[in-house]
PDB file of all heavy atoms in Angstrom:
ATOM      1  N   GLU A 138      11.952  -9.681  -5.764  1.00 65.00           N
ATOM      2  CA  GLU A 138      11.566 -10.030  -4.593  1.00 65.00           C
ATOM      3  C   GLU A 138      10.249 -10.823  -4.804  1.00 65.00           C
ATOM      4  O   GLU A 138       9.284 -10.474  -5.547  1.00 65.00           O
ATOM      5  CB  GLU A 138      11.103  -8.792  -3.760  1.00 65.00           C
ATOM      6  CG  GLU A 138      10.742  -9.129  -2.423  1.00 65.00           C
ATOM      7  CD  GLU A 138      10.377  -7.840  -1.566  1.00 65.00           C
ATOM      8  OE1 GLU A 138      10.713  -6.781  -1.858  1.00 65.00           O
ATOM      9  OE2 GLU A 138       9.544  -7.946  -0.519  1.00 65.00           O
ATOM     10  N   LYS A 139      10.044 -12.036  -4.127  1.00 66.00           N
ATOM     11  CA  LYS A 139       8.986 -12.767  -4.313  1.00 66.00           C
ATOM     12  C   LYS A 139       7.810 -12.407  -3.324  1.00 66.00           C
ATOM     13  O   LYS A 139       7.962 -12.406  -2.236  1.00 66.00           O
ATOM     14  CB  LYS A 139       9.370 -14.291  -4.018  1.00 66.00           C
ATOM     15  CG  LYS A 139      10.152 -14.952  -5.107  1.00 66.00           C
ATOM     16  CD  LYS A 139      10.042 -16.489  -5.056  1.00 66.00           C
ATOM     17  CE  LYS A 139      10.645 -17.095  -6.253  1.00 66.00           C
ATOM     18  NZ  LYS A 139      11.982 -16.586  -6.683  1.00 66.00           N
ATOM     19  N   TYR A 140       6.708 -12.222  -3.942  1.00 68.00           N
ATOM     20  CA  TYR A 140       5.447 -11.882  -3.201  1.00 68.00           C
ATOM     21  C   TYR A 140       4.579 -13.036  -2.991  1.00 68.00           C
ATOM     22  O   TYR A 140       4.316 -13.434  -1.884  1.00 68.00           O
ATOM     23  CB  TYR A 140       4.711 -10.669  -3.788  1.00 68.00           C
ATOM     24  CG  TYR A 140       5.403  -9.394  -3.558  1.00 68.00           C
ATOM     25  CD1 TYR A 140       5.909  -8.630  -4.617  1.00 68.00           C
ATOM     26  CD2 TYR A 140       5.447  -8.898  -2.194  1.00 68.00           C
ATOM     27  CE1 TYR A 140       6.482  -7.425  -4.379  1.00 68.00           C
ATOM     28  CE2 TYR A 140       6.103  -7.707  -2.041  1.00 68.00           C
ATOM     29  CZ  TYR A 140       6.598  -6.992  -3.078  1.00 68.00           C
ATOM     30  OH  TYR A 140       7.153  -5.703  -2.855  1.00 68.00           O
ATOM     31  N   ILE A 141       4.269 -13.630  -4.090  1.00 67.00           N
ATOM     32  CA  ILE A 141       3.344 -14.875  -3.862  1.00 67.00           C
ATOM     33  C   ILE A 141       4.090 -15.974  -4.574  1.00 67.00           C
ATOM     34  O   ILE A 141       4.960 -15.831  -5.401  1.00 67.00           O
ATOM     35  CB  ILE A 141       1.952 -14.787  -4.430  1.00 67.00           C
ATOM     36  CG1 ILE A 141       1.966 -14.632  -5.917  1.00 67.00           C
ATOM     37  CG2 ILE A 141       1.146 -13.621  -3.749  1.00 67.00           C
ATOM     38  CD1 ILE A 141       0.609 -14.861  -6.529  1.00 67.00           C
ATOM     39  N   ASP A 142       3.924 -17.078  -4.028  1.00 65.00           N
ATOM     40  CA  ASP A 142       4.403 -18.329  -4.494  1.00 65.00           C
ATOM     41  C   ASP A 142       3.517 -19.544  -4.287  1.00 65.00           C
ATOM     42  O   ASP A 142       3.676 -20.372  -3.387  1.00 65.00           O
ATOM     43  CB  ASP A 142       5.788 -18.595  -3.703  1.00 65.00           C
ATOM     44  CG  ASP A 142       6.727 -19.463  -4.515  1.00 65.00           C
ATOM     45  OD1 ASP A 142       6.302 -20.158  -5.485  1.00 65.00           O
ATOM     46  OD2 ASP A 142       7.904 -19.745  -4.145  1.00 65.00           O
ATOM     47  N   LEU A 143       2.480 -19.682  -5.132  1.00 63.00           N
ATOM     48  CA  LEU A 143       1.438 -20.677  -4.996  1.00 63.00           C
ATOM     49  C   LEU A 143       1.988 -21.897  -5.478  1.00 63.00           C
ATOM     50  O   LEU A 143       2.648 -22.008  -6.540  1.00 63.00           O
ATOM     51  CB  LEU A 143       0.241 -20.325  -5.685  1.00 63.00           C
ATOM     52  CG  LEU A 143      -0.655 -19.121  -5.257  1.00 63.00           C
ATOM     53  CD1 LEU A 143      -1.697 -18.871  -6.246  1.00 63.00           C
ATOM     54  CD2 LEU A 143      -1.133 -19.389  -3.846  1.00 63.00           C
ATOM     55  N   PHE A 144       1.818 -22.999  -4.830  1.00 60.00           N
ATOM     56  CA  PHE A 144       2.223 -24.371  -5.125  1.00 60.00           C
ATOM     57  C   PHE A 144       3.648 -24.442  -5.518  1.00 60.00           C
ATOM     58  O   PHE A 144       4.104 -25.332  -6.379  1.00 60.00           O
ATOM     59  CB  PHE A 144       1.348 -24.922  -6.385  1.00 60.00           C
ATOM     60  CG  PHE A 144      -0.123 -24.584  -6.205  1.00 60.00           C
ATOM     61  CD1 PHE A 144      -0.626 -23.700  -7.174  1.00 60.00           C
ATOM     62  CD2 PHE A 144      -0.890 -25.066  -5.169  1.00 60.00           C
ATOM     63  CE1 PHE A 144      -1.922 -23.353  -7.182  1.00 60.00           C
ATOM     64  CE2 PHE A 144      -2.220 -24.551  -5.165  1.00 60.00           C
ATOM     65  CZ  PHE A 144      -2.715 -23.834  -6.120  1.00 60.00           C
ATOM     66  N   GLY A 145       4.447 -23.541  -5.126  1.00 64.00           N
ATOM     67  CA  GLY A 145       5.948 -23.672  -5.410  1.00 64.00           C
ATOM     68  C   GLY A 145       6.360 -23.124  -6.755  1.00 64.00           C
ATOM     69  O   GLY A 145       7.456 -22.938  -6.987  1.00 64.00           O
ATOM     70  N   PHE A 146       5.401 -22.894  -7.728  1.00 67.00           N
ATOM     71  CA  PHE A 146       5.864 -22.248  -8.964  1.00 67.00           C
ATOM     72  C   PHE A 146       5.142 -21.118  -9.546  1.00 67.00           C
ATOM     73  O   PHE A 146       5.553 -20.437 -10.405  1.00 67.00           O
ATOM     74  CB  PHE A 146       6.065 -23.307 -10.011  1.00 67.00           C
ATOM     75  CG  PHE A 146       4.677 -23.959 -10.281  1.00 67.00           C
ATOM     76  CD1 PHE A 146       3.958 -23.561 -11.558  1.00 67.00           C
ATOM     77  CD2 PHE A 146       4.024 -24.952  -9.634  1.00 67.00           C
ATOM     78  CE1 PHE A 146       2.807 -24.030 -11.898  1.00 67.00           C
ATOM     79  CE2 PHE A 146       2.794 -25.414  -9.996  1.00 67.00           C
ATOM     80  CZ  PHE A 146       2.170 -24.940 -11.059  1.00 67.00           C
ATOM     81  N   VAL A 147       3.911 -20.891  -9.059  1.00 76.00           N
ATOM     82  CA  VAL A 147       3.127 -19.769  -9.532  1.00 76.00           C
ATOM     83  C   VAL A 147       3.594 -18.489  -8.901  1.00 76.00           C
ATOM     84  O   VAL A 147       3.353 -18.358  -7.620  1.00 76.00           O
ATOM     85  CB  VAL A 147       1.605 -20.083  -9.317  1.00 76.00           C
ATOM     86  CG1 VAL A 147       0.798 -18.973  -9.920  1.00 76.00           C
ATOM     87  CG2 VAL A 147       1.159 -21.351  -9.879  1.00 76.00           C
ATOM     88  N   THR A 148       4.086 -17.511  -9.679  1.00 84.00           N
ATOM     89  CA  THR A 148       4.515 -16.328  -9.164  1.00 84.00           C
ATOM     90  C   THR A 148       3.674 -15.293  -9.903  1.00 84.00           C
ATOM     91  O   THR A 148       3.144 -15.478 -10.929  1.00 84.00           O
ATOM     92  CB  THR A 148       6.039 -16.126  -9.234  1.00 84.00           C
ATOM     93  OG1 THR A 148       6.321 -16.313 -10.691  1.00 84.00           O
ATOM     94  CG2 THR A 148       6.739 -17.176  -8.564  1.00 84.00           C
ATOM     95  N   ILE A 149       3.896 -14.004  -9.490  1.00 88.00           N
ATOM     96  CA  ILE A 149       3.061 -12.914 -10.313  1.00 88.00           C
ATOM     97  C   ILE A 149       3.787 -12.856 -11.691  1.00 88.00           C
ATOM     98  O   ILE A 149       2.832 -12.745 -12.660  1.00 88.00           O
ATOM     99  CB  ILE A 149       3.202 -11.622  -9.401  1.00 88.00           C
ATOM    100  CG1 ILE A 149       2.450 -11.782  -8.040  1.00 88.00           C
ATOM    101  CG2 ILE A 149       2.502 -10.460 -10.267  1.00 88.00           C
ATOM    102  CD1 ILE A 149       2.424 -10.605  -7.245  1.00 88.00           C
ATOM    103  N   PRO A 150       4.990 -12.716 -11.870  1.00 88.00           N
ATOM    104  CA  PRO A 150       5.471 -12.697 -13.256  1.00 88.00           C
ATOM    105  C   PRO A 150       5.064 -13.843 -14.162  1.00 88.00           C
ATOM    106  O   PRO A 150       4.820 -13.697 -15.328  1.00 88.00           O
ATOM    107  CB  PRO A 150       7.024 -12.556 -13.085  1.00 88.00           C
ATOM    108  CG  PRO A 150       7.287 -12.276 -11.784  1.00 88.00           C
ATOM    109  CD  PRO A 150       6.132 -12.641 -10.898  1.00 88.00           C
ATOM    110  N   MET A 151       5.030 -15.014 -13.407  1.00 90.00           N
ATOM    111  CA  MET A 151       4.582 -16.176 -14.135  1.00 90.00           C
ATOM    112  C   MET A 151       3.106 -15.979 -14.656  1.00 90.00           C
ATOM    113  O   MET A 151       2.807 -16.354 -15.777  1.00 90.00           O
ATOM    114  CB  MET A 151       4.647 -17.430 -13.199  1.00 90.00           C
ATOM    115  CG  MET A 151       4.047 -18.589 -13.656  1.00 90.00           C
ATOM    116  SD  MET A 151       5.198 -19.365 -15.014  1.00 90.00           S
ATOM    117  CE  MET A 151       6.319 -20.218 -14.106  1.00 90.00           C
ATOM    118  N   LEU A 152       2.266 -15.545 -13.849  1.00 91.00           N
ATOM    119  CA  LEU A 152       0.862 -15.355 -14.145  1.00 91.00           C
ATOM    120  C   LEU A 152       0.740 -14.297 -15.337  1.00 91.00           C
ATOM    121  O   LEU A 152      -0.016 -14.548 -16.235  1.00 91.00           O
ATOM    122  CB  LEU A 152       0.117 -14.716 -12.915  1.00 91.00           C
ATOM    123  CG  LEU A 152      -0.205 -15.533 -11.716  1.00 91.00           C
ATOM    124  CD1 LEU A 152      -0.777 -14.884 -10.661  1.00 91.00           C
ATOM    125  CD2 LEU A 152      -1.144 -16.689 -12.079  1.00 91.00           C
ATOM    126  N   SER A 153       1.540 -13.395 -15.249  1.00 93.00           N
ATOM    127  CA  SER A 153       1.635 -12.426 -16.381  1.00 93.00           C
ATOM    128  C   SER A 153       2.114 -12.964 -17.537  1.00 93.00           C
ATOM    129  O   SER A 153       1.247 -12.766 -18.655  1.00 93.00           O
ATOM    130  CB  SER A 153       2.501 -11.249 -15.917  1.00 93.00           C
ATOM    131  OG  SER A 153       2.848 -10.417 -17.053  1.00 93.00           O
ATOM    132  N   LEU A 154       2.955 -13.853 -17.610  1.00 93.00           N
ATOM    133  CA  LEU A 154       3.597 -14.436 -18.764  1.00 93.00           C
ATOM    134  C   LEU A 154       2.423 -15.252 -19.495  1.00 93.00           C
ATOM    135  O   LEU A 154       2.116 -15.291 -20.628  1.00 93.00           O
ATOM    136  CB  LEU A 154       4.923 -15.158 -18.503  1.00 93.00           C
ATOM    137  CG  LEU A 154       5.493 -15.810 -19.827  1.00 93.00           C
ATOM    138  CD1 LEU A 154       6.003 -14.759 -20.723  1.00 93.00           C
ATOM    139  CD2 LEU A 154       6.656 -16.668 -19.454  1.00 93.00           C
ATOM    140  N   VAL A 155       1.846 -16.147 -18.514  1.00 94.00           N
ATOM    141  CA  VAL A 155       0.842 -17.083 -19.046  1.00 94.00           C
ATOM    142  C   VAL A 155      -0.272 -16.258 -19.566  1.00 94.00           C
ATOM    143  O   VAL A 155      -0.897 -16.642 -20.711  1.00 94.00           O
ATOM    144  CB  VAL A 155       0.274 -17.938 -17.797  1.00 94.00           C
ATOM    145  CG1 VAL A 155      -0.869 -18.758 -18.247  1.00 94.00           C
ATOM    146  CG2 VAL A 155       1.382 -18.883 -17.362  1.00 94.00           C
ATOM    147  N   ASN A 156      -0.728 -15.188 -18.849  1.00 95.00           N
ATOM    148  CA  ASN A 156      -1.775 -14.352 -19.369  1.00 95.00           C
ATOM    149  C   ASN A 156      -1.542 -13.829 -20.753  1.00 95.00           C
ATOM    150  O   ASN A 156      -2.335 -13.898 -21.707  1.00 95.00           O
ATOM    151  CB  ASN A 156      -2.011 -13.299 -18.277  1.00 95.00           C
ATOM    152  CG  ASN A 156      -2.994 -12.194 -18.834  1.00 95.00           C
ATOM    153  OD1 ASN A 156      -4.122 -12.519 -19.206  1.00 95.00           O
ATOM    154  ND2 ASN A 156      -2.583 -10.897 -18.776  1.00 95.00           N
ATOM    155  N   PHE A 157      -0.441 -13.253 -20.884  1.00 95.00           N
ATOM    156  CA  PHE A 157      -0.059 -12.621 -22.311  1.00 95.00           C
ATOM    157  C   PHE A 157       0.055 -13.740 -23.348  1.00 95.00           C
ATOM    158  O   PHE A 157      -0.358 -13.432 -24.524  1.00 95.00           O
ATOM    159  CB  PHE A 157       1.235 -11.900 -22.217  1.00 95.00           C
ATOM    160  CG  PHE A 157       1.155 -10.434 -21.601  1.00 95.00           C
ATOM    161  CD1 PHE A 157       1.737 -10.033 -20.417  1.00 95.00           C
ATOM    162  CD2 PHE A 157       0.307  -9.567 -22.228  1.00 95.00           C
ATOM    163  CE1 PHE A 157       1.611  -8.788 -19.977  1.00 95.00           C
ATOM    164  CE2 PHE A 157       0.157  -8.218 -21.752  1.00 95.00           C
ATOM    165  CZ  PHE A 157       0.733  -7.988 -20.552  1.00 95.00           C
ATOM    166  N   SER A 158       0.575 -14.944 -22.902  1.00 96.00           N
ATOM    167  CA  SER A 158       0.663 -15.962 -23.908  1.00 96.00           C
ATOM    168  C   SER A 158      -0.745 -16.491 -24.422  1.00 96.00           C
ATOM    169  O   SER A 158      -0.979 -16.542 -25.730  1.00 96.00           O
ATOM    170  CB  SER A 158       1.319 -17.308 -23.385  1.00 96.00           C
ATOM    171  OG  SER A 158       2.551 -16.837 -22.764  1.00 96.00           O
ATOM    172  N   ILE A 159      -1.713 -16.601 -23.446  1.00 96.00           N
ATOM    173  CA  ILE A 159      -2.968 -16.997 -23.814  1.00 96.00           C
ATOM    174  C   ILE A 159      -3.667 -15.953 -24.838  1.00 96.00           C
ATOM    175  O   ILE A 159      -4.240 -16.133 -25.766  1.00 96.00           O
ATOM    176  CB  ILE A 159      -3.915 -17.267 -22.641  1.00 96.00           C
ATOM    177  CG1 ILE A 159      -3.336 -18.402 -21.827  1.00 96.00           C
ATOM    178  CG2 ILE A 159      -5.310 -17.671 -23.001  1.00 96.00           C
ATOM    179  CD1 ILE A 159      -4.024 -18.685 -20.523  1.00 96.00           C
ATOM    180  N   LEU A 160      -3.430 -14.611 -24.271  1.00 95.00           N
ATOM    181  CA  LEU A 160      -4.011 -13.506 -25.148  1.00 95.00           C
ATOM    182  C   LEU A 160      -3.511 -13.575 -26.460  1.00 95.00           C
ATOM    183  O   LEU A 160      -4.323 -13.378 -27.431  1.00 95.00           O
ATOM    184  CB  LEU A 160      -3.637 -12.191 -24.396  1.00 95.00           C
ATOM    185  CG  LEU A 160      -4.607 -11.489 -23.492  1.00 95.00           C
ATOM    186  CD1 LEU A 160      -4.011 -10.344 -22.988  1.00 95.00           C
ATOM    187  CD2 LEU A 160      -5.917 -11.178 -24.306  1.00 95.00           C
ATOM    188  N   ILE A 161      -2.232 -13.639 -26.749  1.00 96.00           N
ATOM    189  CA  ILE A 161      -1.662 -13.713 -28.060  1.00 96.00           C
ATOM    190  C   ILE A 161      -2.184 -14.890 -28.809  1.00 96.00           C
ATOM    191  O   ILE A 161      -2.664 -14.743 -29.903  1.00 96.00           O
ATOM    192  CB  ILE A 161      -0.104 -13.831 -27.923  1.00 96.00           C
ATOM    193  CG1 ILE A 161       0.516 -12.490 -27.398  1.00 96.00           C
ATOM    194  CG2 ILE A 161       0.516 -14.193 -29.381  1.00 96.00           C
ATOM    195  CD1 ILE A 161       1.963 -12.621 -27.052  1.00 96.00           C
ATOM    196  N   ALA A 162      -2.313 -16.063 -28.209  1.00 96.00           N
ATOM    197  CA  ALA A 162      -2.741 -17.213 -28.851  1.00 96.00           C
ATOM    198  C   ALA A 162      -4.291 -17.002 -29.411  1.00 96.00           C
ATOM    199  O   ALA A 162      -4.617 -17.196 -30.571  1.00 96.00           O
ATOM    200  CB  ALA A 162      -2.743 -18.400 -28.028  1.00 96.00           C
TER     201      ALA A 162
END
Side-chain angles (χ1 to χ4, degrees):
Chain A
E138 186 180 339
K139 282 201 169 53
Y140 281 117
I141 63 163
D142 199 352
L143 291 174
F144 321 116
F146 67 96
V147 181
T148 58
I149 296 176
M151 171 74 80
L152 287 174
S153 164
L154 185 66
V155 169
N156 171 53
F157 279 120
S158 306
I159 299 177
L160 261 178
I161 290 172

